[in-house]
mmCIF file with all atom_site columns, all heavy atoms in Angstrom:
data_model
loop_
_atom_site.group_PDB
_atom_site.id
_atom_site.type_symbol
_atom_site.label_atom_id
_atom_site.label_alt_id
_atom_site.label_comp_id
_atom_site.label_asym_id
_atom_site.label_entity_id
_atom_site.label_seq_id
_atom_site.pdbx_PDB_ins_code
_atom_site.Cartn_x
_atom_site.Cartn_y
_atom_site.Cartn_z
_atom_site.occupancy
_atom_site.B_iso_or_equiv
_atom_site.pdbx_formal_charge
_atom_site.auth_seq_id
_atom_site.auth_comp_id
_atom_site.auth_asym_id
_atom_site.auth_atom_id
_atom_site.pdbx_PDB_model_num
ATOM 1   N N   . LEU A 1 233 ? 11.583 2.010  20.252 1.00 98.00 ? 233 LEU A N   1
ATOM 2   C CA  . LEU A 1 233 ? 10.990 2.541  19.047 1.00 98.00 ? 233 LEU A CA  1
ATOM 3   C C   . LEU A 1 233 ? 9.522  2.210  19.049 1.00 98.00 ? 233 LEU A C   1
ATOM 4   O O   . LEU A 1 233 ? 9.098  1.059  19.277 1.00 98.00 ? 233 LEU A O   1
ATOM 5   C CB  . LEU A 1 233 ? 11.666 1.945  17.821 1.00 98.00 ? 233 LEU A CB  1
ATOM 6   C CG  . LEU A 1 233 ? 13.149 2.277  17.655 1.00 98.00 ? 233 LEU A CG  1
ATOM 7   C CD1 . LEU A 1 233 ? 13.842 1.421  16.620 1.00 98.00 ? 233 LEU A CD1 1
ATOM 8   C CD2 . LEU A 1 233 ? 13.376 3.745  17.373 1.00 98.00 ? 233 LEU A CD2 1
ATOM 9   N N   . HIS A 1 234 ? 8.661  3.234  18.725 1.00 98.00 ? 234 HIS A N   1
ATOM 10  C CA  . HIS A 1 234 ? 7.250  3.030  18.784 1.00 98.00 ? 234 HIS A CA  1
ATOM 11  C C   . HIS A 1 234 ? 6.605  3.255  17.447 1.00 98.00 ? 234 HIS A C   1
ATOM 12  O O   . HIS A 1 234 ? 7.203  3.904  16.545 1.00 98.00 ? 234 HIS A O   1
ATOM 13  C CB  . HIS A 1 234 ? 6.639  4.026  19.752 1.00 98.00 ? 234 HIS A CB  1
ATOM 14  C CG  . HIS A 1 234 ? 7.198  3.847  21.211 1.00 98.00 ? 234 HIS A CG  1
ATOM 15  N ND1 . HIS A 1 234 ? 6.849  2.771  21.963 1.00 98.00 ? 234 HIS A ND1 1
ATOM 16  C CD2 . HIS A 1 234 ? 8.030  4.568  21.911 1.00 98.00 ? 234 HIS A CD2 1
ATOM 17  C CE1 . HIS A 1 234 ? 7.410  2.860  23.150 1.00 98.00 ? 234 HIS A CE1 1
ATOM 18  N NE2 . HIS A 1 234 ? 8.167  3.943  23.138 1.00 98.00 ? 234 HIS A NE2 1
ATOM 19  N N   . PRO A 1 235 ? 5.431  2.704  17.211 1.00 98.00 ? 235 PRO A N   1
ATOM 20  C CA  . PRO A 1 235 ? 4.763  2.871  15.854 1.00 98.00 ? 235 PRO A CA  1
ATOM 21  C C   . PRO A 1 235 ? 4.667  4.342  15.489 1.00 98.00 ? 235 PRO A C   1
ATOM 22  O O   . PRO A 1 235 ? 4.218  5.169  16.351 1.00 98.00 ? 235 PRO A O   1
ATOM 23  C CB  . PRO A 1 235 ? 3.383  2.247  16.101 1.00 98.00 ? 235 PRO A CB  1
ATOM 24  C CG  . PRO A 1 235 ? 3.598  1.169  17.152 1.00 98.00 ? 235 PRO A CG  1
ATOM 25  C CD  . PRO A 1 235 ? 4.629  1.762  18.097 1.00 98.00 ? 235 PRO A CD  1
ATOM 26  N N   . GLY A 1 236 ? 5.056  4.661  14.341 1.00 98.00 ? 236 GLY A N   1
ATOM 27  C CA  . GLY A 1 236 ? 5.103  6.069  13.895 1.00 98.00 ? 236 GLY A CA  1
ATOM 28  C C   . GLY A 1 236 ? 6.448  6.777  14.045 1.00 98.00 ? 236 GLY A C   1
ATOM 29  O O   . GLY A 1 236 ? 6.645  7.856  13.473 1.00 98.00 ? 236 GLY A O   1
ATOM 30  N N   . ASP A 1 237 ? 7.370  6.240  14.791 1.00 98.00 ? 237 ASP A N   1
ATOM 31  C CA  . ASP A 1 237 ? 8.713  6.771  14.849 1.00 98.00 ? 237 ASP A CA  1
ATOM 32  C C   . ASP A 1 237 ? 9.339  6.607  13.431 1.00 98.00 ? 237 ASP A C   1
ATOM 33  O O   . ASP A 1 237 ? 9.105  5.628  12.746 1.00 98.00 ? 237 ASP A O   1
ATOM 34  C CB  . ASP A 1 237 ? 9.552  6.058  15.880 1.00 98.00 ? 237 ASP A CB  1
ATOM 35  C CG  . ASP A 1 237 ? 9.211  6.453  17.300 1.00 98.00 ? 237 ASP A CG  1
ATOM 36  O OD1 . ASP A 1 237 ? 8.440  7.413  17.491 1.00 98.00 ? 237 ASP A OD1 1
ATOM 37  O OD2 . ASP A 1 237 ? 9.693  5.782  18.246 1.00 98.00 ? 237 ASP A OD2 1
ATOM 38  N N   . VAL A 1 238 ? 10.219 7.527  13.134 1.00 98.00 ? 238 VAL A N   1
ATOM 39  C CA  . VAL A 1 238 ? 10.920 7.525  11.836 1.00 98.00 ? 238 VAL A CA  1
ATOM 40  C C   . VAL A 1 238 ? 12.393 7.511  12.020 1.00 98.00 ? 238 VAL A C   1
ATOM 41  O O   . VAL A 1 238 ? 12.935 8.190  12.888 1.00 98.00 ? 238 VAL A O   1
ATOM 42  C CB  . VAL A 1 238 ? 10.520 8.782  11.034 1.00 98.00 ? 238 VAL A CB  1
ATOM 43  C CG1 . VAL A 1 238 ? 11.336 8.874  9.719  1.00 98.00 ? 238 VAL A CG1 1
ATOM 44  C CG2 . VAL A 1 238 ? 9.026  8.839  10.738 1.00 98.00 ? 238 VAL A CG2 1
ATOM 45  N N   . ILE A 1 239 ? 13.096 6.634  11.302 1.00 98.00 ? 239 ILE A N   1
ATOM 46  C CA  . ILE A 1 239 ? 14.542 6.571  11.271 1.00 98.00 ? 239 ILE A CA  1
ATOM 47  C C   . ILE A 1 239 ? 15.014 7.036  9.886  1.00 98.00 ? 239 ILE A C   1
ATOM 48  O O   . ILE A 1 239 ? 14.591 6.426  8.862  1.00 98.00 ? 239 ILE A O   1
ATOM 49  C CB  . ILE A 1 239 ? 15.070 5.136  11.512 1.00 98.00 ? 239 ILE A CB  1
ATOM 50  C CG1 . ILE A 1 239 ? 14.589 4.631  12.872 1.00 98.00 ? 239 ILE A CG1 1
ATOM 51  C CG2 . ILE A 1 239 ? 16.551 5.149  11.443 1.00 98.00 ? 239 ILE A CG2 1
ATOM 52  C CD1 . ILE A 1 239 ? 14.903 3.137  13.133 1.00 98.00 ? 239 ILE A CD1 1
ATOM 53  N N   . SER A 1 240 ? 15.836 8.079  9.845  1.00 98.00 ? 240 SER A N   1
ATOM 54  C CA  . SER A 1 240 ? 16.374 8.544  8.570  1.00 98.00 ? 240 SER A CA  1
ATOM 55  C C   . SER A 1 240 ? 17.814 8.029  8.484  1.00 98.00 ? 240 SER A C   1
ATOM 56  O O   . SER A 1 240 ? 18.611 8.225  9.386  1.00 98.00 ? 240 SER A O   1
ATOM 57  C CB  . SER A 1 240 ? 16.394 10.115 8.558  1.00 98.00 ? 240 SER A CB  1
ATOM 58  O OG  . SER A 1 240 ? 16.545 10.600 7.255  1.00 98.00 ? 240 SER A OG  1
ATOM 59  N N   . THR A 1 241 ? 18.101 7.227  7.468  1.00 98.00 ? 241 THR A N   1
ATOM 60  C CA  . THR A 1 241 ? 19.236 6.311  7.473  1.00 98.00 ? 241 THR A CA  1
ATOM 61  C C   . THR A 1 241 ? 20.480 6.794  6.894  1.00 98.00 ? 241 THR A C   1
ATOM 62  O O   . THR A 1 241 ? 21.420 5.933  6.736  1.00 98.00 ? 241 THR A O   1
ATOM 63  C CB  . THR A 1 241 ? 18.762 5.035  6.716  1.00 98.00 ? 241 THR A CB  1
ATOM 64  O OG1 . THR A 1 241 ? 18.478 5.347  5.367  1.00 98.00 ? 241 THR A OG1 1
ATOM 65  C CG2 . THR A 1 241 ? 17.604 4.322  7.376  1.00 98.00 ? 241 THR A CG2 1
ATOM 66  N N   . GLY A 1 242 ? 20.662 8.092  6.580  1.00 97.00 ? 242 GLY A N   1
ATOM 67  C CA  . GLY A 1 242 ? 21.918 8.570  6.102  1.00 97.00 ? 242 GLY A CA  1
ATOM 68  C C   . GLY A 1 242 ? 21.850 8.770  4.602  1.00 97.00 ? 242 GLY A C   1
ATOM 69  O O   . GLY A 1 242 ? 20.957 8.317  3.912  1.00 97.00 ? 242 GLY A O   1
ATOM 70  N N   . THR A 1 243 ? 22.787 9.510  4.112  1.00 96.00 ? 243 THR A N   1
ATOM 71  C CA  . THR A 1 243 ? 22.772 9.951  2.665  1.00 96.00 ? 243 THR A CA  1
ATOM 72  C C   . THR A 1 243 ? 24.021 9.519  1.904  1.00 96.00 ? 243 THR A C   1
ATOM 73  O O   . THR A 1 243 ? 25.125 9.417  2.489  1.00 96.00 ? 243 THR A O   1
ATOM 74  C CB  . THR A 1 243 ? 22.670 11.520 2.667  1.00 96.00 ? 243 THR A CB  1
ATOM 75  O OG1 . THR A 1 243 ? 22.209 11.926 1.369  1.00 96.00 ? 243 THR A OG1 1
ATOM 76  C CG2 . THR A 1 243 ? 24.000 12.210 2.949  1.00 96.00 ? 243 THR A CG2 1
ATOM 77  N N   . PRO A 1 244 ? 23.852 9.267  0.620  1.00 96.00 ? 244 PRO A N   1
ATOM 78  C CA  . PRO A 1 244 ? 24.994 8.898  -0.203 1.00 96.00 ? 244 PRO A CA  1
ATOM 79  C C   . PRO A 1 244 ? 25.774 10.243 -0.536 1.00 96.00 ? 244 PRO A C   1
ATOM 80  O O   . PRO A 1 244 ? 25.359 11.313 -0.210 1.00 96.00 ? 244 PRO A O   1
ATOM 81  C CB  . PRO A 1 244 ? 24.340 8.315  -1.481 1.00 96.00 ? 244 PRO A CB  1
ATOM 82  C CG  . PRO A 1 244 ? 23.024 8.945  -1.513 1.00 96.00 ? 244 PRO A CG  1
ATOM 83  C CD  . PRO A 1 244 ? 22.550 9.199  -0.104 1.00 96.00 ? 244 PRO A CD  1
ATOM 84  N N   . PRO A 1 245 ? 26.951 10.080 -1.220 1.00 94.00 ? 245 PRO A N   1
ATOM 85  C CA  . PRO A 1 245 ? 27.749 11.258 -1.547 1.00 94.00 ? 245 PRO A CA  1
ATOM 86  C C   . PRO A 1 245 ? 27.037 12.161 -2.532 1.00 94.00 ? 245 PRO A C   1
ATOM 87  O O   . PRO A 1 245 ? 26.042 11.824 -3.172 1.00 94.00 ? 245 PRO A O   1
ATOM 88  C CB  . PRO A 1 245 ? 28.982 10.653 -2.140 1.00 94.00 ? 245 PRO A CB  1
ATOM 89  C CG  . PRO A 1 245 ? 28.604 9.301  -2.682 1.00 94.00 ? 245 PRO A CG  1
ATOM 90  C CD  . PRO A 1 245 ? 27.541 8.832  -1.738 1.00 94.00 ? 245 PRO A CD  1
ATOM 91  N N   . GLY A 1 246 ? 27.544 13.458 -2.615 1.00 96.00 ? 246 GLY A N   1
ATOM 92  C CA  . GLY A 1 246 ? 27.013 14.413 -3.442 1.00 96.00 ? 246 GLY A CA  1
ATOM 93  C C   . GLY A 1 246 ? 26.354 15.564 -2.801 1.00 96.00 ? 246 GLY A C   1
ATOM 94  O O   . GLY A 1 246 ? 25.698 16.408 -3.470 1.00 96.00 ? 246 GLY A O   1
ATOM 95  N N   . VAL A 1 247 ? 26.555 15.695 -1.496 1.00 97.00 ? 247 VAL A N   1
ATOM 96  C CA  . VAL A 1 247 ? 25.936 16.849 -0.810 1.00 97.00 ? 247 VAL A CA  1
ATOM 97  C C   . VAL A 1 247 ? 26.728 18.096 -1.136 1.00 97.00 ? 247 VAL A C   1
ATOM 98  O O   . VAL A 1 247 ? 27.891 18.047 -1.592 1.00 97.00 ? 247 VAL A O   1
ATOM 99  C CB  . VAL A 1 247 ? 25.872 16.652 0.753  1.00 97.00 ? 247 VAL A CB  1
ATOM 100 C CG1 . VAL A 1 247 ? 25.059 15.432 1.076  1.00 97.00 ? 247 VAL A CG1 1
ATOM 101 C CG2 . VAL A 1 247 ? 27.334 16.467 1.332  1.00 97.00 ? 247 VAL A CG2 1
ATOM 102 N N   . GLY A 1 248 ? 26.127 19.223 -0.878 1.00 97.00 ? 248 GLY A N   1
ATOM 103 C CA  . GLY A 1 248 ? 26.822 20.486 -1.184 1.00 97.00 ? 248 GLY A CA  1
ATOM 104 C C   . GLY A 1 248 ? 28.147 20.646 -0.416 1.00 97.00 ? 248 GLY A C   1
ATOM 105 O O   . GLY A 1 248 ? 29.143 21.207 -0.935 1.00 97.00 ? 248 GLY A O   1
ATOM 106 N N   . PHE A 1 249 ? 28.157 20.193 0.851  1.00 94.00 ? 249 PHE A N   1
ATOM 107 C CA  . PHE A 1 249 ? 29.359 20.287 1.684  1.00 94.00 ? 249 PHE A CA  1
ATOM 108 C C   . PHE A 1 249 ? 30.561 19.546 1.036  1.00 94.00 ? 249 PHE A C   1
ATOM 109 O O   . PHE A 1 249 ? 31.725 19.898 1.262  1.00 94.00 ? 249 PHE A O   1
ATOM 110 C CB  . PHE A 1 249 ? 29.027 19.692 3.075  1.00 94.00 ? 249 PHE A CB  1
ATOM 111 C CG  . PHE A 1 249 ? 30.144 19.700 4.063  1.00 94.00 ? 249 PHE A CG  1
ATOM 112 C CD1 . PHE A 1 249 ? 30.484 20.891 4.654  1.00 94.00 ? 249 PHE A CD1 1
ATOM 113 C CD2 . PHE A 1 249 ? 30.777 18.548 4.390  1.00 94.00 ? 249 PHE A CD2 1
ATOM 114 C CE1 . PHE A 1 249 ? 31.540 20.934 5.601  1.00 94.00 ? 249 PHE A CE1 1
ATOM 115 C CE2 . PHE A 1 249 ? 31.774 18.547 5.345  1.00 94.00 ? 249 PHE A CE2 1
ATOM 116 C CZ  . PHE A 1 249 ? 32.155 19.774 5.950  1.00 94.00 ? 249 PHE A CZ  1
ATOM 117 N N   . GLY A 1 250 ? 30.271 18.486 0.217  1.00 93.00 ? 250 GLY A N   1
ATOM 118 C CA  . GLY A 1 250 ? 31.306 17.657 -0.296 1.00 93.00 ? 250 GLY A CA  1
ATOM 119 C C   . GLY A 1 250 ? 31.799 18.107 -1.707 1.00 93.00 ? 250 GLY A C   1
ATOM 120 O O   . GLY A 1 250 ? 32.735 17.576 -2.234 1.00 93.00 ? 250 GLY A O   1
ATOM 121 N N   . GLN A 1 251 ? 31.113 19.144 -2.268 1.00 94.00 ? 251 GLN A N   1
ATOM 122 C CA  . GLN A 1 251 ? 31.544 19.633 -3.609 1.00 94.00 ? 251 GLN A CA  1
ATOM 123 C C   . GLN A 1 251 ? 32.883 20.426 -3.460 1.00 94.00 ? 251 GLN A C   1
ATOM 124 O O   . GLN A 1 251 ? 33.164 20.998 -2.415 1.00 94.00 ? 251 GLN A O   1
ATOM 125 C CB  . GLN A 1 251 ? 30.469 20.519 -4.234 1.00 94.00 ? 251 GLN A CB  1
ATOM 126 C CG  . GLN A 1 251 ? 29.095 19.860 -4.268 1.00 94.00 ? 251 GLN A CG  1
ATOM 127 C CD  . GLN A 1 251 ? 29.096 18.617 -5.156 1.00 94.00 ? 251 GLN A CD  1
ATOM 128 O OE1 . GLN A 1 251 ? 29.542 18.648 -6.337 1.00 94.00 ? 251 GLN A OE1 1
ATOM 129 N NE2 . GLN A 1 251 ? 28.529 17.549 -4.603 1.00 94.00 ? 251 GLN A NE2 1
ATOM 130 N N   . ARG A 1 252 ? 33.607 20.455 -4.514 1.00 94.00 ? 252 ARG A N   1
ATOM 131 C CA  . ARG A 1 252 ? 34.851 21.290 -4.565 1.00 94.00 ? 252 ARG A CA  1
ATOM 132 C C   . ARG A 1 252 ? 34.782 22.212 -5.795 1.00 94.00 ? 252 ARG A C   1
ATOM 133 O O   . ARG A 1 252 ? 35.008 21.756 -6.849 1.00 94.00 ? 252 ARG A O   1
ATOM 134 C CB  . ARG A 1 252 ? 36.101 20.352 -4.571 1.00 94.00 ? 252 ARG A CB  1
ATOM 135 C CG  . ARG A 1 252 ? 36.193 19.447 -3.392 1.00 94.00 ? 252 ARG A CG  1
ATOM 136 C CD  . ARG A 1 252 ? 36.483 20.249 -2.070 1.00 94.00 ? 252 ARG A CD  1
ATOM 137 N NE  . ARG A 1 252 ? 36.596 19.409 -0.921 1.00 94.00 ? 252 ARG A NE  1
ATOM 138 C CZ  . ARG A 1 252 ? 35.587 19.080 -0.107 1.00 94.00 ? 252 ARG A CZ  1
ATOM 139 N NH1 . ARG A 1 252 ? 34.390 19.592 -0.289 1.00 94.00 ? 252 ARG A NH1 1
ATOM 140 N NH2 . ARG A 1 252 ? 35.786 18.339 0.916  1.00 94.00 ? 252 ARG A NH2 1
ATOM 141 N N   . PRO A 1 253 ? 34.512 23.486 -5.581 1.00 96.00 ? 253 PRO A N   1
ATOM 142 C CA  . PRO A 1 253 ? 34.223 24.172 -4.325 1.00 96.00 ? 253 PRO A CA  1
ATOM 143 C C   . PRO A 1 253 ? 32.834 23.820 -3.800 1.00 96.00 ? 253 PRO A C   1
ATOM 144 O O   . PRO A 1 253 ? 31.975 23.334 -4.527 1.00 96.00 ? 253 PRO A O   1
ATOM 145 C CB  . PRO A 1 253 ? 34.293 25.653 -4.737 1.00 96.00 ? 253 PRO A CB  1
ATOM 146 C CG  . PRO A 1 253 ? 33.887 25.701 -6.141 1.00 96.00 ? 253 PRO A CG  1
ATOM 147 C CD  . PRO A 1 253 ? 34.417 24.425 -6.758 1.00 96.00 ? 253 PRO A CD  1
ATOM 148 N N   . GLN A 1 254 ? 32.624 24.067 -2.540 1.00 97.00 ? 254 GLN A N   1
ATOM 149 C CA  . GLN A 1 254 ? 31.387 23.677 -1.894 1.00 97.00 ? 254 GLN A CA  1
ATOM 150 C C   . GLN A 1 254 ? 30.209 24.542 -2.492 1.00 97.00 ? 254 GLN A C   1
ATOM 151 O O   . GLN A 1 254 ? 30.435 25.667 -2.913 1.00 97.00 ? 254 GLN A O   1
ATOM 152 C CB  . GLN A 1 254 ? 31.463 23.958 -0.392 1.00 97.00 ? 254 GLN A CB  1
ATOM 153 C CG  . GLN A 1 254 ? 32.418 23.001 0.312  1.00 97.00 ? 254 GLN A CG  1
ATOM 154 C CD  . GLN A 1 254 ? 32.654 23.273 1.774  1.00 97.00 ? 254 GLN A CD  1
ATOM 155 O OE1 . GLN A 1 254 ? 32.315 24.371 2.243  1.00 97.00 ? 254 GLN A OE1 1
ATOM 156 N NE2 . GLN A 1 254 ? 33.152 22.315 2.516  1.00 97.00 ? 254 GLN A NE2 1
ATOM 157 N N   . VAL A 1 255 ? 29.043 23.958 -2.554 1.00 98.00 ? 255 VAL A N   1
ATOM 158 C CA  . VAL A 1 255 ? 27.848 24.573 -3.092 1.00 98.00 ? 255 VAL A CA  1
ATOM 159 C C   . VAL A 1 255 ? 26.767 24.530 -2.058 1.00 98.00 ? 255 VAL A C   1
ATOM 160 O O   . VAL A 1 255 ? 26.502 23.436 -1.477 1.00 98.00 ? 255 VAL A O   1
ATOM 161 C CB  . VAL A 1 255 ? 27.419 23.859 -4.373 1.00 98.00 ? 255 VAL A CB  1
ATOM 162 C CG1 . VAL A 1 255 ? 26.133 24.539 -4.954 1.00 98.00 ? 255 VAL A CG1 1
ATOM 163 C CG2 . VAL A 1 255 ? 28.531 23.861 -5.442 1.00 98.00 ? 255 VAL A CG2 1
ATOM 164 N N   . TYR A 1 256 ? 26.067 25.604 -1.799 1.00 98.00 ? 256 TYR A N   1
ATOM 165 C CA  . TYR A 1 256 ? 24.970 25.599 -0.812 1.00 98.00 ? 256 TYR A CA  1
ATOM 166 C C   . TYR A 1 256 ? 23.719 26.209 -1.396 1.00 98.00 ? 256 TYR A C   1
ATOM 167 O O   . TYR A 1 256 ? 23.758 26.980 -2.410 1.00 98.00 ? 256 TYR A O   1
ATOM 168 C CB  . TYR A 1 256 ? 25.402 26.290 0.400  1.00 98.00 ? 256 TYR A CB  1
ATOM 169 C CG  . TYR A 1 256 ? 26.499 25.574 1.169  1.00 98.00 ? 256 TYR A CG  1
ATOM 170 C CD1 . TYR A 1 256 ? 27.817 26.105 1.219  1.00 98.00 ? 256 TYR A CD1 1
ATOM 171 C CD2 . TYR A 1 256 ? 26.320 24.362 1.720  1.00 98.00 ? 256 TYR A CD2 1
ATOM 172 C CE1 . TYR A 1 256 ? 28.844 25.440 1.876  1.00 98.00 ? 256 TYR A CE1 1
ATOM 173 C CE2 . TYR A 1 256 ? 27.327 23.654 2.374  1.00 98.00 ? 256 TYR A CE2 1
ATOM 174 C CZ  . TYR A 1 256 ? 28.630 24.206 2.452  1.00 98.00 ? 256 TYR A CZ  1
ATOM 175 O OH  . TYR A 1 256 ? 29.628 23.506 3.081  1.00 98.00 ? 256 TYR A OH  1
#
Side-chain angles (χ1 to χ4, degrees):
L233 296 169
H234 300 287
D237 286 349
V238 175
I239 302 170
S240 196
T241 60
T243 198
V247 299
F249 181 74
Q251 304 300 307
R252 299 294 179 266
Q254 293 174 343
V255 179
Y256 293 111

